[in-house]
Amino acid sequence: MIDLLRPVWPAPSHVKALITTRQGGSSAAPFHSLNLADHVGDDPVCVARNREQLARECRLPNSPFWLNQVHGCEVVSPESANPGCEADAVYSDRPDRVCAVLTADCLPLLITDRLGREVCAVHAGWRGLAAGVIENAIQRFQAPAKELLVWLGPAIGPAVFEVGDEVRDVFLGYRREAGQMFTANRPGHWLADIYALARMRLTDAGVGFITGGDYCTLTQDRLFFSYRRDGVTGRMAALIWRE
């Protein structure tokens, strides 16, 4: 049985949103057990079995629209792009289109509007976050930003996400107040709060409701894959669709 996380938010009931954990699949170590990525070296048979189990247990209306994520800011739609295209967010305003991103420390965001007419899944590592993937995703919506609901899924936590001066400088270039989201750790290195950095950009964009940001993929090893912790590892999936 797959172990899932779901947002607590005021979305209409016909909007379905979830994030998998690492529990409940078929993959062997170091991908144990619910690895959903086919690019990390796992047995393809196990990945296919895990994806079939995901579709069955979550009653997905269609196969997820998987991306080739490149830590950029491109947003695509299943109606105009091909599965496996290079992008880091997928948006749809049509029913039964399952938008999906894969993560293992980067921040997944799930977005819908209060009427549940549009949905989007976003993969935001620090590079994509700095490049504007969140802003690009919001711009795809017809609904105004104040009507959007955003859930921040599991990412690497602020107590362990160490980055160098060059990363902090990128965010300071966006807004000096971003410096408050970094804590000095050792010379030339900082602990970054990717949740706070995302909330700042969402707030600046006028988003009306933001929730989530309560987990740490690196320290909660029983629940989550973590690339920074393990190197060779699996990926969780963040999915959203409307019926």
Side-chain angles (χ1 to χ4, degrees):
M1 190 76 175
I2 291 176
D3 188 11
L4 302 170
L5 305 175
R6 301 181 188 272
V8 178
W9 60 357
S13 60
H14 66 268
V15 173
K16 308 302 180 183
L18 60 91
I19 291 181
T20 63
T21 68
R22 68 182 303 164
Q23 300 295 333
S26 302
S27 295
F31 309 104
H32 52 304
S33 62
L34 188 66
N35 168 48
L36 294 163
D38 61 4
H39 67 285
V40 294
D42 193 6
D43 183 344
V45 173
C46 292
V47 176
R49 189 178 298 134
N50 290 339
R51 289 185 173 187
E52 290 168 3
Q53 184 179 0
L54 174 70
R56 181 177 65 254
E57 292 190 17
C58 298
R59 299 180 180 179
L60 301 185
N62 274 304
S63 297
F65 191 85
W66 303 111
L67 303 170
N68 177 17
Q69 298 166 194
V70 293
H71 296 273
C73 59
E74 184 75 17
V75 183
V76 297
S77 171
E79 293 75 50
S80 58
N82 295 319
C85 63
E86 291 189 355
D88 285 272
V90 55
Y91 160 93
S92 183
D93 60 359
R94 299 188 186 182
D96 298 336
R97 300 291 200 269
V98 183
C99 301
V101 292
L102 296 167
T103 60
D105 283 335
C106 293
L107 174 64
L109 300 90
L110 297 179
I111 310 174
T112 189
D113 62 288
R114 289 187 179 274
L115 296 179
R117 294 175 175 171
E118 307 169 80
V119 296
C120 186
V122 181
H123 162 254
W126 74 260
R127 291 178 178 84
L129 191 61
V133 67
I134 285 177
E135 290 86 349
N136 288 355
I138 291 170
Q139 288 173 9
R140 292 296 296 269
F141 280 77
Q142 296 298 311
K146 66 181 180 180
E147 295 299 318
L148 298 185
L149 314 174
V150 177
W151 183 38
L152 307 178
I156 188 169
V160 291
F161 183 28
E162 186 179 73
V163 299
D165 285 333
E166 72 284 358
V167 175
R168 180 173 178 268
D169 289 345
V170 168
F171 287 97
L172 290 177
Y174 167 73
R175 188 137 74 80
R176 297 302 298 178
E177 289 82 356
Q180 301 170 18
M181 287 79 175
F182 294 83
T183 302
N185 192 38
R186 56 192 176 95
H189 293 79
W190 306 79
L191 295 175
D193 188 340
I194 197 168
Y195 292 126
L197 291 166
R199 288 190 190 99
M200 180 175 67
R201 299 183 84 113
L202 289 163
T203 300
D204 286 351
V207 170
F209 182 91
I210 307 166
T211 189
D214 306 317
Y215 296 96
C216 176
T217 50
L218 191 150
T219 59
Q220 294 178 276
D221 60 303
R222 289 176 61 93
L223 275 179
F224 305 119
F225 297 113
S226 169
Y227 178 79
R228 183 166 288 207
R229 181 187 64 233
D230 298 325
V232 178
T233 191
R235 299 292 187 273
M236 291 86 66
L239 311 175
I240 189 167
W241 70 98
R242 53 180 287 252
E243 294 180 333

